[in-house]
């Protein structure tokens, strides 16, 4: 009963905040309820609503900010400004968690004033007993219970919305709820974040201009994480670096993210300006690895092929890669999609470097796919957002950065790394085994099919698809015939009752007339329905 009461209270709180922020107007601008033009005011209202509702809804907004195929540009721009800040938790509570998780004697000093506060964690500077400058990241008390409550409410709402709203199904709100839950549960466990940081550090170790804070083991638990402290500032246009060094860092940053996506299949998925610091020794430090993108090998290879096709202006190859990634149905217009892509892709070539945006190209591809009823996987949207953010940060250092040109220059390296991966003995033998097994069985299956065809025992199963329209027509026809039979029956019964009781007869005729006029009105109003 306690859990139900908590859920009810939270639902009422969410409803109150949503009503105060005019949620219906926002849903109208997103084409979920009605149709209204998108406005900056509506986008700002959505952002402030999500910030007010807390951690889970901020994460939802961050995921939505990658869905440029679903949301208007003004909403995407506003959601990228989401701020996850809350008043600090009293230091006494933080200190108690540190002592409980790590024990006494680890730190000579922990600064009571936090370096940063967010809804999930609070960060404090500290000095270890052996003299190392570190930062201590502590999960806020009670946040896990609050997130669990919000996720339960969000998932229930998403299921109801998908059952009742076609627009909600197009927006894939249930899938979004899954993504939010996956990401936020990963961020709640600092052991996973520690592993993520070490993994990304190993992937980018060849880029001398980039660094990742080292994890101070064994001081890692689910709720406390100790990291090497890196002195640095947020990257701005007033960075003060020599032009050559700035250009070199911009190139290394963008190439490192392309390498993570296209070659490693694991990437730092939240490289916004607050998570990339300019260090005192002139390097870029990547921080905060709560959100890591992961691609299966086939998806990684296909996205690599797509990036190369975009860079080299090969529309047919780009279209083939997108269709390989996507879910298509009988309603999908693949030919129209390919034709439109041939028209649009050249716009990213032979233009001034300052006007080229790698993220813009992927966002356009997302919108184009949706227009032609082709559903891209959520991983594509997250890759697009990540490369867009990396592109934006790199331009802070070098406004003339040419990301499409860099992709083209790196094409040979990407292909060689992919070939090396495929030709590695274990991978090659595994591939040959999975491919040869069906081929070895093929002759036997052909013989079996021929034998059954000769004896007349071959069966072919046909599964009909897309019968929704036919089903609707048949249902409408049956309903109208049923209504006509009822009206005719009433008329005949009323005529027969005229010999017995004129009152009953007149009432029957009036009911028949009313029903007949109603069905006639329905037929005129909705020719295809009842």
């Amino acid at each position: 009963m306690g859990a139900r009461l908590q859920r009810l209270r939270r639902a009422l709180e969410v409803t109150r905040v949503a009503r105060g922020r005019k949620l219906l107007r926002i849903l109208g601008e997103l084409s979920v309820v009605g149709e209204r033009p998108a406005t900056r005011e509506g986008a700002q209202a959505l952002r402030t609503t999500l910030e007010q509702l807390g951690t889970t809804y901020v994460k939802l907004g961050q995921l939505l900010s990658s869905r440029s195929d679903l949301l208007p540009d003004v909403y995407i721009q506003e959601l990228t400004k989401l701020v996850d800040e809350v008043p600090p938790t009293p230091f006494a509570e933080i200190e108690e968690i540190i002592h409980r998780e790590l024990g006494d004697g680890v730190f000579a000093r922990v600064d009571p004033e936090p370096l940063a506060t967010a809804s999930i964690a609070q960060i404090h500077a500290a000095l270890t007993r052996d003299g190392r400058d570190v930062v201590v990241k502590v999960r806020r008390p009670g946040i896990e219970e609050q997130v669990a409550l919000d996720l339960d409410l969000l998932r229930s709402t998403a299921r109801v919305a998908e059952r009742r709203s076609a627009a909600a199904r197009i927006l894939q709100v249930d899938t979004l709820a899954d993504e939010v839950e996956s990401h936020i549960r990963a961020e709640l466990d600092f052991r996973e974040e520690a592993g993520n940081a070490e993994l990304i550090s190993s992937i980018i170790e060849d880029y001398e201009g980039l660094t990742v804070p080292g994890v101070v083991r064994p001081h890692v638990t689910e709720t406390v994480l100790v990291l090497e402290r890196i002195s640095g500032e947020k990257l701005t246009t007033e960075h003060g670096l020599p032009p050559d060094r700035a250009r070199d860092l911009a190139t290394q940053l963008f190439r490192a993210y392309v390498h993570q996506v296209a070659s490693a299949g694991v990437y730092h998925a939240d490289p916004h300006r607050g998570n990339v610091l300019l260090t005192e020794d002139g390097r870029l430090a990547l921080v905060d690895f709560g959100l890591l993108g992961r691609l299966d090998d086939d998806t990684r290879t296909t996205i690599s092929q797509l990036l190369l096709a975009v860079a080299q202006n090969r529309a047919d190859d780009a279209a083939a890669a997108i269709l390989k990634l996507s879910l298509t149905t009988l309603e999908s217009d693949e030919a129209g999609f390919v034709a439109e892509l041939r028209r649009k892709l050249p716009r990213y070539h032979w233009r001034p470097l300052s006007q080229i945006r790698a993220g813009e190209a992927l966002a356009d591809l997302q919108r184009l796919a949706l227009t032609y009823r082709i559903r891209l996987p959520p991983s594509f949207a997250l890759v697009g957002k990540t490369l867009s953010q990396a592109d934006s940060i790199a331009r802070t250092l070098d406004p003339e950065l040419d990301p499409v040109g860099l992709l083209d220059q790196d094409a040979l390296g990407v292909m060689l790394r992919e070939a090396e991966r495929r030709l590695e003995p274990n991978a090659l033998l595994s591939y040959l085994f999975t491919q040869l097994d069906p081929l070895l069985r093929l002759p036997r299956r052909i013989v079996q099919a021929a034998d059954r065809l000769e004896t007349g025992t071959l069966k072919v199963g046909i599964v009909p698809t897309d019968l929704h329209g036919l089903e609707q027509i048949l249902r409408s026809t049956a309903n109208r015939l049923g209504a006509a039979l009822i009206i005719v029956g009433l008329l005949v019964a009323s005529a027969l009752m005229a010999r017995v009781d004129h009152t009953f007869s007149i009432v029957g005729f009036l009911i028949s007339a009313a029903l007949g006029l109603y069905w006639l009105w329905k037929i005129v109003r909705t020719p295809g329905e009842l």
Side-chain angles (χ1 to χ4, degrees):
M1 188 65 184
R4 290 184 179 180
L5 184 58
Q6 286 183 340
R7 182 176 174 180
L8 177 60
R9 285 177 177 173
R10 182 57 173 165
L12 291 173
E13 181 184 355
V14 171
T15 303
R16 177 181 57 79
V17 173
R19 288 183 61 187
R21 298 291 183 178
K22 300 180 180 178
L23 183 61
L24 284 178
R25 172 187 170 181
I26 296 171
L27 294 177
E29 293 185 10
L30 298 179
S31 301
V32 177
V33 178
E35 191 77 36
R36 291 185 178 185
T39 64
R40 176 70 62 184
E41 293 74 18
Q44 290 173 343
L46 177 60
R47 175 179 60 79
T48 54
T49 298
L50 295 173
E51 289 175 349
Q52 186 174 349
L53 289 174
T55 308
T56 306
Y57 295 90
V58 167
K59 299 304 174 188
L60 173 62
Q62 290 173 346
L63 281 176
L64 285 173
S65 70
S66 69
R67 300 308 302 268
S68 52
D69 55 334
L70 302 180
L71 302 186
D73 286 341
V74 66
Y75 275 81
I76 296 294
Q77 293 165 8
E78 197 64 35
L79 289 178
T80 57
K81 303 175 186 177
L82 275 167
V83 176
D84 185 17
E85 292 182 353
V86 295
T89 299
F91 181 66
E93 296 182 35
I94 296 295
E95 192 173 32
E96 181 184 346
I97 295 173
I98 294 174
H99 288 165
R100 184 181 69 237
E101 294 293 318
L102 303 182
D104 296 326
V106 176
F107 302 108
R109 183 188 71 253
V110 179
D111 290 346
E113 289 297 319
L115 294 173
T117 60
S119 54
I120 288 181
Q122 195 161 297
I123 299 176
H124 290 258
L127 180 69
T128 63
R129 291 285 185 185
D130 58 3
R132 298 178 64 181
D133 283 321
V134 297
V135 294
V136 186
K137 188 172 184 179
V138 183
R139 193 172 75 190
R140 298 172 70 93
I143 187 62
E144 190 175 19
E145 294 77 10
Q146 180 65 52
V147 164
L149 184 62
D150 280 342
L151 286 174
D152 185 34
L153 186 59
L154 187 63
R155 182 171 289 284
S156 299
T157 305
R159 284 196 293 264
V160 172
E162 285 226 349
R163 284 200 302 268
R164 299 187 178 182
S165 170
R169 288 191 290 274
I170 293 173
L171 289 172
Q172 304 174 59
V173 294
D174 199 28
T175 301
L176 282 172
D178 277 337
E179 291 292 305
V180 170
E181 181 171 6
S182 173
H183 290 163
I184 203 168
R185 289 199 183 281
E187 288 195 53
L188 286 171
D189 189 345
F190 292 164
R191 294 169 300 186
E192 185 161 345
E193 181 173 345
N196 292 344
E198 292 171 332
L199 179 58
I200 295 299
S201 179
S202 67
I203 291 173
I204 66 169
E205 61 184 358
D206 292 337
Y207 299 87
E208 59 83 20
L210 306 182
T211 186
V212 170
V215 177
V216 181
R217 294 191 182 273
H219 308 313
V220 178
T221 72
E222 183 179 349
T223 56
V224 177
L225 172 62
V226 181
L227 298 166
E228 167 195 5
R229 184 174 184 181
I230 294 182
S231 298
E233 298 179 352
K234 290 183 180 180
L235 190 62
T236 67
T237 53
E238 306 297 326
H239 49 73
L241 291 171
D244 289 345
R245 180 57 175 172
R247 280 193 293 272
D248 182 47
L249 284 180
T251 301
Q252 287 193 52
L253 180 71
F254 188 76
R255 279 181 165 156
Y257 275 92
V258 172
H259 172 67
Q260 291 173 56
V261 170
S263 297
V266 179
Y267 57 96
H268 181 213
D270 196 19
H272 61 74
R273 294 182 188 276
N275 286 344
V276 180
L277 305 179
L278 179 61
T279 66
E280 295 176 349
D281 61 354
R283 294 187 296 168
L284 297 178
L286 310 182
V287 300
D288 192 354
F289 295 91
L291 180 57
L292 210 66
R294 298 177 186 271
L295 302 171
D296 66 86
D297 203 46
D298 289 336
T299 300
R300 178 194 59 77
T301 302
T302 305
I303 288 180
S304 301
Q305 294 168 350
L306 172 61
L307 292 174
L308 295 179
V310 170
Q312 296 173 356
N313 201 17
R314 294 183 280 111
D316 284 357
D317 290 342
I322 291 173
L323 291 173
K324 184 178 177 181
L325 283 172
S326 306
L327 173 64
T328 57
T329 65
L330 292 177
E331 295 181 350
S332 303
D333 183 2
E334 297 183 24
F337 171 72
V338 174
E340 187 66 9
L341 187 57
R342 287 173 182 159
R343 185 182 72 83
K344 283 194 170 185
L345 191 60
R347 71 174 56 179
Y348 301 105
H349 297 263
W350 307 106
R351 292 172 57 186
L353 302 184
S354 59
Q355 296 180 18
I356 298 173
R357 297 287 188 274
E360 176 188 326
L362 294 180
D364 273 354
L365 291 178
Q366 287 177 256
R367 294 190 186 96
L368 193 62
L370 186 67
T371 301
Y372 289 92
R373 296 180 177 85
I374 295 169
R375 296 177 62 179
L376 285 162
S379 58
F380 184 90
L382 193 57
V383 167
K385 179 186 176 184
T386 300
L387 292 181
S388 180
Q389 288 177 321
D391 180 7
S392 175
I393 294 171
R395 286 174 189 279
T396 303
L397 294 163
D398 180 14
E400 296 301 312
L401 179 76
D402 178 8
V404 175
L406 289 178
L407 288 173
D408 197 17
Q409 292 173 22
D410 289 349
L412 178 60
V414 170
M415 288 186 288
L416 288 175
R417 283 193 295 269
E418 188 62 27
E420 183 181 0
R421 183 194 299 266
R422 296 287 184 182
L423 293 175
E424 193 271 331
N426 287 339
L428 180 60
L429 289 174
S430 175
Y431 175 78
L432 290 175
F433 177 77
T434 56
Q435 299 303 312
L436 286 175
D437 188 54
L439 289 176
L440 293 174
R441 295 185 183 189
L442 186 60
R444 184 194 308 167
R445 291 177 177 175
I446 293 175
V447 171
Q448 289 175 343
D451 288 341
R452 290 179 182 179
L453 184 62
E454 184 179 7
T455 58
T457 58
L458 182 66
K459 296 181 180 179
V460 179
I462 299 176
V463 179
T465 60
D466 198 31
L467 296 180
H468 178 72
L470 178 61
E471 181 185 356
Q472 187 176 17
I473 292 172
L474 292 175
R475 184 182 291 114
S476 177
T477 302
N479 287 343
R480 290 181 179 182
L481 286 173
L485 290 173
I486 291 171
I487 293 170
V488 169
L490 279 172
L491 287 172
V492 172
S494 300
L496 293 174
M497 285 295 295
R499 298 181 177 182
V500 180
D501 190 319
H502 289 288
T503 302
F504 278 110
S505 177
I506 292 171
V507 170
F509 279 121
L510 290 175
I511 293 174
S512 301
L515 287 175
L517 290 173
Y518 171 73
W519 294 123
L520 181 62
W521 175 76
K522 287 285 288 181
I523 291 170
V524 172
R525 283 276 307 244
T526 55
E529 302 176 8
L530 183 59

